[in-house]
Amino acid sequence: MELTVNGDDIRIDGPVDVPRLLEHLGLPDTGVAVAVDGVVRPKTRWAEEIGEYAEIDILTAVQGG
């Protein structure tokens, strides 16, 4: 499956949902927001399959001051 994540093309095998994508990318599943094709996907819908060629934006929370 081909996806675009934060502007980079990636390939990942099989059906993909948000938790699997985050694991594949080595990202935590907390402190992140995910948008699929420009629409923020609430955590309650993270288990829904992501379609082929979807454009994913992942934002991570940053602390600081």
Side-chain angles (χ1 to χ4, degrees), residues 6 17 34 36 39 55 57 61:
N6 291 348
D17 58 13
V34 178
V36 179
V39 178
E55 294 193 20
D57 293 306

Side-chain angles (χ1 to χ4, degrees), residues 34-47:
V34 178
V36 179
D37 292 328
V39 178
V40 174
R41 183 168 286 191
K43 200 165 188 172
T44 56
R45 294 185 49 216
W46 279 15

Side-chain angles (χ1 to χ4, degrees), residues 3-57:
L3 302 170
T4 301
V5 179
N6 291 348
D8 295 323
D9 294 332
I10 68 163
R11 292 186 61 87
I12 185 169
D13 292 331
V16 177
D17 58 13
V18 172
R20 183 157 183 256
L21 177 63
L22 294 175
E23 181 181 339
H24 178 80
L25 297 171
L27 295 172
D29 63 357
T30 58
V32 297
V34 178
V36 179
D37 292 328
V39 178
V40 174
R41 183 168 286 191
K43 200 165 188 172
T44 56
R45 294 185 49 216
W46 279 15
E48 294 179 15
E49 188 174 330
I50 297 171
E52 179 91 15
Y53 305 113
E55 294 193 20
I56 313 296
D57 293 306

